[in-house]
Amino acid sequence: MTVASALALCLPALSARGDSPRTDARLLLAHVLGRERAWLLAHDDSRLSARQSERFRQACARRAAGTPVAYIIGRAGFFGREFAVDERVLIPRPETERLVEEALAYLRGRHAAAVLDVGTGSGAIACTIAAEDPDAAVEGTDTSAPALAVARRNAERLGVRARCRFLRAEIARAPAARRYDLVIANLPYVPSGALPALPDPTAYEPRAALDGGPDGLRAYRKLLAVAGNLLRSDSLLLMEAAPPTAAALAALTAAALPDAAVDVRSDYSGMERYVRARLRG
Ligand code: GLN
């Protein structure tokens, strides 16, 4: 089988699953062949070994059954870097890049900032901040020990391990009796009634990373109950939320942090997505 015929063969099955079957097919084949996607373009006639054909067939079958491409190839892009991901963690989303941009804008010009990423998952937020702000000290917490193993691996791969600490912790418990310049969180925020069902790719992701309880705000309530103890004057709290819940989260935040200026920001598609609370210095 050649590269061209392998790609053509899997398209019908992948088309039934997602909106980008050609891209998915190329990502899967490049992964199986250990090549860049660009290599495929110039090697239509290259032949796959029997083993490669079989591995590609299996990868396509997993994708056709709904498994997200990122889990099959074991990586996902975020903020221009590659992160290792697997079924232990949520796949980083493009909308979270905007949250990180807000964080970086705030950190610019602040030296040796202490940053806490609550619910760090793959470590995408924590590692990106550490990589973009070379004197920030970042702590990432998660209730999932398996997720923290992925986060540590990513910090290692990206060369920021020395400035990232990952700790298992419940949301409501501060990792230590200390305060941070920035607390950032992309906690589970999908209202339980809106959780995806198979074969939606999101349904393959850890429920605990998505399920925000009846109104999607359960995890944020826990964070807000302790937020006052994590922040100092002039600190920033940044949270990502589901658009229909962002206004309610802003109201909860204003009640929990009466001294903060709270506002809601929109994502690139214009949906209310982020809540920011700036403590007054
Ligand atoms: N944005 C994710 C989704 O829509 C949810 C992420 C989260 O719950 N923090 O699938």
Side-chain angles (χ1 to χ4, degrees):
M1 187 160 53
T2 63
V3 161
S5 57
L7 289 172
L9 215 64
C10 71
L11 272 183
L14 297 193
S15 307
R17 188 50 62 220
D19 9 313
S20 53
R22 274 168 214 285
T23 309
D24 289 358
R26 291 203 181 96
L27 282 166
L28 295 175
L29 186 55
H31 170 67
V32 163
L33 300 181
R35 302 279 187 179
E36 297 292 323
R37 254 191 304 167
W39 182 91
L40 298 176
L41 296 174
H43 294 83
D44 258 0
D45 298 331
S46 246
R47 300 202 79 80
L48 277 63
S49 69
R51 199 177 122 77
Q52 288 170 332
S53 302
E54 178 52 22
R55 284 188 57 213
F56 181 57
R57 197 194 58 74
Q58 284 172 7
C60 290
R62 283 183 75 193
R63 177 69 197 117
T67 307
V69 172
Y71 286 161
I72 304 174
I73 67 176
R75 58 197 156 80
F78 183 78
F79 217 94
R81 295 182 180 81
E82 198 168 86
F83 285 80
V85 294
D86 59 33
E87 281 83 351
R88 292 174 287 180
V89 295
L90 191 84
I91 299 164
R93 303 284 202 272
E95 56 267 27
T96 306
E97 294 180 348
R98 182 86 190 254
L99 188 76
V100 169
E101 273 170 12
E102 288 277 348
L104 295 173
Y106 165 81
L107 290 173
R108 215 156 284 141
R110 269 165 209 269
H111 290 297
V115 177
L116 175 64
D117 174 24
V118 186
T120 195
S122 65
I125 294 175
C127 296
T128 302
I129 290 176
E132 295 284 327
D133 179 346
D135 67 4
V138 185
E139 284 180 11
T141 61
D142 209 289
T143 56
S144 159
L148 290 168
V150 178
R152 289 190 185 103
R153 180 165 166 226
N154 279 318
E156 204 80 60
R157 281 164 58 113
L158 295 170
V160 294
R161 189 73 184 87
R163 284 180 300 109
C164 291
R165 275 180 72 206
F166 293 104
L167 308 164
R168 213 194 83 79
E170 296 303 323
I171 293 164
R173 217 184 57 214
R178 52 178 305 206
R179 292 177 187 263
Y180 300 86
D181 298 294
L182 170 70
V183 175
I184 184 165
N186 176 18
L187 291 174
Y189 62 60
V190 180
S192 305
L195 281 169
L198 290 173
D200 184 321
T202 313
Y204 286 78
E205 302 186 275
R207 287 262 137 163
L210 292 165
D211 189 352
D215 65 355
L217 296 172
R218 186 174 53 200
Y220 282 121
R221 277 196 190 83
K222 291 185 189 170
L223 174 59
L224 289 171
V226 295
N229 300 328
L230 297 172
L231 300 161
R232 42 178 160 243
S233 62
D234 202 30
S235 296
L236 183 71
L237 170 64
L238 279 176
M239 297 170 284
E240 181 180 319
T245 69
L249 178 58
L252 288 174
T253 306
L257 299 169
D259 292 333
V262 177
D263 64 357
V264 177
R265 298 271 166 127
S266 296
D267 63 19
Y268 290 121
S269 58
M271 314 271 266
E272 291 190 332
R273 175 77 68 180
Y274 319 102
V275 174
R276 303 186 337 150
R278 179 73 191 268
L279 276 81
R280 292 178 229 273

